[in-house]
Amino acid sequence: MAQSLLEEFYDLLGHNTVELRIQAGQGVALLYQLVRQHDNEFSWQQEECLCQLLQELTTDSHKYRAKRDRKEQRAWFRDVVHTLQNDDDENHMKCIEKVTVGPEHDREKVLLDTWCLKTQYKALCNVLGEGLNTHLTYNVGVRDVFSLGPPPDPQDHTHSPALSRSQKKINKLKESTVSKARHRTRKKNRDNKATDKTYQD
């Protein structure tokens, strides 16, 4: 299974689209990492060609590719090559990513130090969008994936979840409506007082 998947990834590494090349490289790194958890001596039959191609992608300087694409590609594939060449390394990744989550008054660090965690985090980002921060703070299942421990007590107001943009807009609209109504009431009261004073005079 792993051999056939690597063959498909290898073919995609030569694709014209930089995003697809990067995805293929990430797939190679993830597959190697997972397989080597069960077989430390795993190697692909065309591993030498694979490593050579990956190394070329880390130094790709073809002018027909956009400068931004070349920079992004080189950064990703350096990490992929590091994974394949350092299979005994505990973290397997050269570029460890840290993501900050939680409300401003109680920040937590999510450590993405394996390709598996990085892939899971990316998938959750695509599915949950802006709600990911709340899930990482209070969802037990999601927190277990990233070893964040038990969630904070929802009854503790110091750990109240951050409001989404839509919630903030709704609250702001409510406050604006209340403020306008209060202003109209005060103005009406002032007008009534002025009228009463005029009649008394």
Side-chain angles (χ1 to χ4, degrees):
M1 181 67 175
Q3 299 282 353
S4 60
L5 285 174
L6 283 170
E7 187 173 344
E8 293 184 26
F9 285 140
Y10 181 81
D11 291 338
L12 290 174
L13 289 172
H15 199 275
N16 292 329
T17 306
V18 63
E19 289 84 1
L20 193 52
R21 290 197 301 274
I22 291 174
Q23 291 290 335
Q26 292 172 349
V28 169
L30 176 61
L31 189 58
Y32 261 83
Q33 191 177 80
L34 292 175
V35 173
R36 281 175 172 170
Q37 289 178 0
H38 305 282
D39 182 6
N40 291 331
E41 298 182 358
F42 170 80
S43 64
W44 186 39
Q45 54 190 5
Q46 300 183 50
E47 188 169 302
E48 186 176 344
C49 295
L50 174 63
C51 290
Q52 182 178 350
L53 177 55
L54 291 172
Q55 193 65 51
E56 290 174 0
L57 290 169
T58 65
T59 57
D60 186 2
S61 59
H62 290 106
K63 298 299 181 182
Y64 60 83
R65 303 195 202 277
K67 184 177 181 180
R68 180 180 178 182
D69 289 348
R70 295 199 306 269
K71 184 177 180 181
E72 183 181 10
Q73 175 179 289
R74 288 195 293 263
W76 276 109
F77 279 99
R78 279 195 294 268
D79 211 3
V80 173
V81 169
H82 178 83
T83 299
L84 268 66
Q85 293 179 345
N86 297 273
D87 53 292
D88 293 329
D89 194 359
E90 183 179 354
N91 288 327
H92 298 282
M93 291 181 67
K94 184 177 182 180
C95 182
I96 298 174
E97 187 176 349
K98 293 181 180 179
V99 181
T100 303
V101 299
E104 293 184 4
H105 54 268
D106 190 23
R107 293 294 195 184
E108 293 181 275
K109 295 286 186 181
V110 179
L111 187 64
L112 307 177
D113 58 354
T114 67
W115 286 101
C116 187
L117 287 176
K118 210 163 190 176
T119 303
Q120 289 172 314
Y121 180 81
K122 185 177 180 180
L124 286 172
C125 283
N126 293 334
V127 173
L128 299 175
E130 293 183 1
L132 177 60
N133 187 60
T134 300
H135 280 275
L136 283 169
T137 305
Y138 296 101
N139 188 315
V140 176
V142 174
R143 290 179 65 85
D144 283 346
V145 171
F146 300 99
S147 303
L148 290 174
D153 185 358
Q155 301 299 323
D156 186 352
H157 295 294
T158 61
H159 295 90
S160 57
L163 296 176
S164 64
R165 290 182 181 177
S166 58
Q167 289 174 322
K168 288 180 180 179
K169 287 182 179 179
I170 292 173
N171 289 348
K172 189 174 181 180
L173 182 60
K174 288 180 179 178
E175 291 174 2
S176 177
T177 303
V178 172
S179 178
K180 288 179 180 179
R182 188 185 300 117
H183 178 72
R184 285 195 296 268
T185 301
R186 288 177 178 174
K187 184 178 180 182
K188 185 177 180 180
N189 290 337
R190 284 196 298 268
D191 291 343
N192 290 338
K193 288 180 180 179
T195 302
D196 291 342
K197 185 176 180 181
T198 301
Y199 286 144
Q200 289 174 1
D201 293 342

